[in-house]
Amino acid sequence: MPGAIHAEGLVKTFGDVRALDGVDLDVPEGTVLGLLGPNGAGKTTTVRCLTTLLRPDSGKAVVAGVDVLKDPDAVRRSIGLSGQFAAVDEYLTGRENLQMVGQLYQMRSKAAKARAGELLEQFNLADAADRPAKTYSGGMRRRLDLAAALVVSPPVMFMDEPTTGLDPRNRQQLWEVIKQLVSGGTTLLLTTQYLEEADHLAHDIAVVDHGRVIAKGTSDQLKARTGGERVEVVVHEREHITSAGEVLRGFGKGEVTVEDHTRKLTVPVTGGAKLLAEIIRELDTRGIEIDDIGLRRPTLDDVFLSLTGHVAETAAQDEANGKEAVK
């Protein structure tokens, strides 16, 4: 049976741009699918098609058992959506924003008020509940927007880069909220540029590039595609980079990569901790002093690099490019 979110061959074009080029997805009930991809890959367009905000040119989509194209109103009654930008009424208070959403969903006034109070506590907004949203910081608006998406406890949630710009503490708090939702049976499609977030939350991951799903699987399955373990060495003196590289080439199973500014060398290996001990002995024999050495598995950053040819873009890179950071 198809999952709580199911898509087959979704295509969407904007003029000459083919934003989606046959996207297939299946998200089992009560799980999290992390949708990863570089900017412009088609993540947000996919979310908009699945949530009835855009009509795909072709393909099929079913959400919460309802055909997205045949009955979009029924789909909207079954989902929650948090987009990339906080959609709150800045002239209403936080409490009024949440009560309004509840009333739009035809909740009784008393129930809407009670639910608003619960969410304000859950998202650490209770102290600011009766202040106009225009006085909120960017991070507070983001949390209010996420709370609004959860007013009616929808069985299916879509979150489009929900934690971009949040500080680490608020991001961790949101992760806990997401875990609670999923443990209660909610199905979630999550787009993110934080690879750690997908690694931490997603049961399965789909990597999107140029409007296509180019890889699917669990985090471990995707990491396995990039090869085995890696040894990372940070030498104490820059002049030892070359000789340390020679040592690693002798033990490694691939090319040695060097980050000159951090004095870090990395090489793929097989052999685990025993091999690590041998490398340390050889470095010591050659008089190469090191500041750090470690054995690590591939990360989702490595997956991104191997699948798309470049690393994932992060919020820090967005800030470096002059985009406003949400505090």
Side-chain angles (χ1 to χ4, degrees):
M1 293 292 291
I5 303 171
H6 182 75
E8 293 179 19
L10 287 185
V11 173
K12 183 64 183 177
T13 58
F14 299 97
D16 295 332
V17 178
R18 200 170 178 87
L20 300 183
D21 192 18
V23 168
D24 296 327
L25 295 173
D26 194 67
V27 189
E29 185 176 339
T31 67
V32 180
L33 175 70
L35 200 60
L36 303 185
N39 283 338
K43 303 187 303 296
T44 296
T45 302
T46 299
V47 168
R48 288 177 177 170
C49 287
L50 292 171
T51 57
T52 77
L53 296 177
L54 282 176
R55 186 178 180 89
D57 299 327
S58 61
K60 178 182 178 181
V62 176
V63 174
V66 181
D67 191 298
V68 171
L69 297 179
K70 292 180 179 178
D71 198 350
D73 288 340
V75 171
R76 294 180 194 121
R77 289 192 293 268
S78 302
I79 65 172
L81 169 64
S82 176
Q84 289 186 8
F85 305 101
V88 299
D89 188 322
E90 63 180 20
Y91 293 101
L92 298 180
T93 67
R95 191 185 308 278
E96 289 168 342
N97 265 282
L98 298 183
Q99 289 180 210
M100 178 185 68
V101 172
Q103 290 166 354
L104 288 172
Y105 275 97
Q106 300 182 341
M107 293 176 68
R108 293 182 182 275
S109 179
K110 185 177 180 180
K113 184 176 181 179
R115 180 61 174 156
E118 292 173 5
L119 290 167
L120 289 165
E121 290 286 349
Q122 188 174 18
F123 283 87
N124 294 318
L125 292 170
D127 291 342
D130 298 310
R131 281 170 35 197
K134 66 181 179 181
T135 68
Y136 286 15
S137 68
M140 292 170 69
R141 291 189 190 199
R142 192 72 178 124
R143 300 204 305 276
L144 181 61
D145 177 66
L146 291 166
L150 297 172
V151 166
V152 294
S153 302
V156 178
M157 275 290 300
F158 294 86
M159 293 185 178
D160 195 7
E161 300 186 15
T163 63
T164 296
L166 294 183
D167 61 47
R169 181 174 63 86
N170 284 322
R171 188 175 300 132
Q172 289 282 348
Q173 289 175 347
L174 180 59
W175 287 359
E176 291 306 312
V177 170
I178 290 172
K179 287 179 180 178
Q180 292 171 15
L181 285 172
V182 177
S183 66
T186 299
T187 304
L188 173 63
L189 189 150
L190 170 78
T191 78
T192 181
Q193 290 188 33
Y194 293 108
L195 300 185
E196 178 192 5
E197 188 161 87
D199 212 359
H200 191 74
L201 295 175
H203 297 90
D204 290 291
I205 294 170
V207 182
V208 181
D209 200 24
H210 295 99
R212 289 179 173 271
V213 176
I214 60 174
K216 297 180 192 177
T218 65
S219 176
D220 285 343
Q221 287 169 343
L222 292 178
K223 290 174 185 178
R225 294 180 57 165
T226 67
E229 299 165 316
R230 280 127 169 92
V231 167
E232 290 183 349
V233 176
V234 178
V235 298
H236 185 68
E237 300 291 344
R238 195 173 302 278
E239 55 264 30
H240 286 154
I241 288 177
T242 300
S243 52
E246 293 173 357
V247 172
L248 293 183
R249 272 189 288 275
F251 289 96
K253 298 297 182 181
E255 291 295 318
V256 177
T257 59
V258 178
E259 295 179 10
D260 191 68
H261 63 292
T262 60
R263 309 183 308 282
K264 183 171 76 173
L265 300 90
T266 305
V267 66
V269 298
T270 56
K274 181 179 179 181
L275 181 68
L276 187 64
E278 294 175 6
I279 292 173
I280 292 172
R281 282 195 293 270
E282 182 63 22
L283 291 169
D284 185 59
T285 298
R286 297 200 186 193
I288 301 171
E289 186 178 354
I290 61 175
D291 290 339
D292 192 23
I293 187 168
L295 185 71
R296 69 171 178 85
R297 297 181 61 209
T299 66
L300 285 180
D301 285 293
D302 299 319
V303 173
F304 244 89
L305 182 60
S306 66
L307 292 174
T308 68
H310 53 81
V311 297
E313 299 186 39
T314 65
Q317 289 170 308
D318 288 342
E319 291 170 25
N321 290 334
K323 296 184 179 179
E324 181 181 2
V326 178
K327 302 297 183 184

